[in-house]
Amino acid sequence: MRVVYTPAHLGHDITHETVMGVQIPANEVAERAERIRSVLEADGGFPFELPADHGEAPILAVHEPGLLRFLAEAYAQMRAEGVMRPAVIAEAFNVRALTEGMPAPAERPGAISGRTGFWALDTSTPIVAGSYTAARAAVDVALSAADLVLSGERAVYGLCRPPGHHAARSMYGGYCFFNNAAIAAESIVRETGESVAILDVDYHHGNGTEQIFWRRGDVLYASIHADPARQYPYYLGWADETGEGSGAGANLNIPMPAGTTTEQYLAAVDRALDAISATTGSVIVVSLGFDTYGHDPIGDFALTTDVYHEVGRRVAALGRRLVILQEGGYHRPSLGANARAWLRGAEGRSYDPVPAAGFTAGGATG
Ligand code: Q9C
Ligand code: ZN
């Protein structure tokens, strides 16, 4: 299976994220993508290629121009204001209650600390000097993977970093800046005139993808994720969110309990795949996360590496072409093996696990 990857993600070299007011070591770090890269390279069955620059147009088909402008300018604006903090993080947020009963505020020129909160969902998505370039490159990875599939590949893996599915039309957050999967899905719809299904198997609900396609009947969004009653993104991901207008019935949320087992998970995968089978279209965009893994530091499911092989196999068994895009997954030592298992399953190759020592050669810390 061909893989699209670029080292541009290394510029998003964050060290900390802020959770409930406290700085903790960042989860969404460069090592994640490098771990996946080295295991796929060692496998031998995954030729790597660089993405092509697709420009701003496919991003602006999905996102508000102001969000793109903000992300492009934020770090430099902070420095220009003489603020010497290591990363741009919001101070105050443009919350619903601020203007309840009033017109919603527009973005105004102003201090970076306030401008950031106009576009941000949370405090756990720091912007550093190389974040914007990395986020643009992740979009190009997704679009280049989509190009390969549209030109005849059955399945292609885009090793996107930073991830994308929490980014909404006018909002970044949840470690995401641009919604790579939504941008790829929209470009496939425009290119083919077909419907597209997005299958989101990240541990978290893809609130951004849901929001972007909420009123769209030509893009099915199906997601299996931790119940928002106990887990981020809290406000969306509930089972009663089914879409509106032309999108009525084209949003499927399957919230799962803590401790979700292989059996429970595979039953949910079958439900999502049944919904996808009922749609037209020949391409599935997969938002692939490994924060469903039993040892993930921010997840609470109980999945094992062999399950990913089976999920990949079942998704491919629908017979549609696959644009597979990396989202989350934070247990660094297992990420490569999990990605390899999923992708080999999707390609109809055997699971054939390699002993853990085979993955960690070269100084991994475990
Ligand atoms: N204690 C993705 O998986 N909250 N994003 C972190 C950690 C944000 C996850 C709290 C989680 C975002 C793409
Ligand atoms: Zn996630």
Side-chain angles (χ1 to χ4, degrees):
M1 184 185 301
R2 289 162 78 174
V3 175
V4 186
Y5 162 88
T6 164
H9 80 88
L10 295 168
H12 183 51
D13 58 347
I14 56 169
T15 57
H16 290 80
E17 61 177 271
T18 305
V19 179
M20 295 183 77
V22 174
Q23 294 264 11
I24 63 169
N27 286 294
E28 203 293 283
V29 292
E31 183 191 342
R32 298 177 55 247
E34 294 307 297
R35 290 268 194 167
I36 295 174
R37 178 175 67 83
S38 67
V39 172
L40 296 185
E41 281 179 348
D43 178 272
F46 296 97
F48 275 61
E49 55 205 272
L50 292 167
D53 182 0
H54 287 68
E56 292 183 357
I59 299 177
L60 297 178
V62 157
H63 289 292
E64 194 62 31
L67 175 66
L68 185 138
R69 214 177 312 118
F70 165 75
L71 292 171
E73 296 171 0
Y75 190 82
Q77 180 181 339
M78 179 175 75
R79 284 286 174 265
E81 289 180 9
V83 177
M84 289 304 160
R85 296 198 190 267
V88 178
I89 302 172
E91 174 192 350
F93 293 89
N94 170 32
V95 296
R96 175 181 45 83
L98 178 70
T99 50
E100 196 173 312
M102 302 165 63
E107 187 191 21
R108 311 240 190 184
I112 189 63
S113 51
R115 189 184 180 199
T116 305
F118 186 85
W119 299 104
L121 168 63
D122 59 27
T123 60
S124 47
T125 314
I127 300 170
V128 296
S131 298
Y132 175 70
T133 302
R136 286 290 303 265
V139 170
D140 285 325
V141 166
L143 289 167
S144 296
D147 289 343
L148 288 169
V149 164
L150 293 188
S151 61
E153 293 294 319
R154 227 196 67 73
V156 175
Y157 175 56
L159 213 182
C160 295
R161 178 181 179 271
H165 73 156
H166 295 301
R169 175 168 178 80
S170 303
M171 183 186 77
Y172 78 98
Y175 313 156
C176 304
F177 299 99
F178 298 119
N179 194 316
N180 307 312
I183 294 165
E186 177 65 16
S187 89
I188 294 166
V189 167
R190 292 186 184 203
E191 199 115 328
T192 63
E194 291 184 357
S195 297
V196 171
I198 302 175
L199 173 66
D200 190 329
V201 291
D202 186 274
Y203 168 80
H204 302 92
H205 176 249
N207 58 282
T209 315
E210 174 173 294
Q211 184 271 329
I212 287 164
F213 296 116
W214 183 247
R215 292 175 189 281
R216 291 276 297 273
D218 53 351
V219 180
L220 172 71
Y221 178 66
S223 177
I224 305 164
H225 51 264
D227 193 325
R230 73 170 189 288
Q231 191 47 266
Y232 188 95
Y234 304 114
Y235 310 108
L236 291 175
W238 301 79
D240 60 6
E241 295 159 11
T242 54
E244 283 187 277
S246 333
N251 194 89
L252 173 64
N253 285 336
I254 310 181
M256 304 296 287
T260 288
T261 62
T262 298
E263 292 66 33
Q264 290 171 306
Y265 195 81
L266 289 176
V269 167
D270 288 343
R271 256 190 82 194
L273 293 180
D274 283 349
I276 291 173
S277 297
T279 66
T280 61
S282 64
V283 179
I284 303 174
V285 175
V286 180
S287 272
L288 179 59
F290 297 112
D291 30 14
T292 51
Y293 187 59
H295 296 297
D296 192 273
I298 70 173
D300 61 9
F301 289 1
L303 303 191
T304 48
T305 301
D306 55 318
V307 181
Y308 297 119
H309 184 264
E310 177 61 14
V311 174
R313 196 190 66 73
R314 290 190 192 194
V315 172
L318 288 192
R320 299 192 184 193
R321 294 176 292 164
L322 304 177
V323 178
I324 305 160
L325 303 178
Q326 191 60 48
E327 300 280 0
Y330 306 101
H331 182 256
R332 277 114 82 169
S334 69
L335 278 177
N338 289 342
R340 175 176 171 275
W342 207 105
L343 299 173
R344 284 176 66 109
E347 235 187 343
R349 294 166 72 199
S350 62
Y351 173 34
D352 190 21
V354 173
F359 300 114
T360 54
T365 51

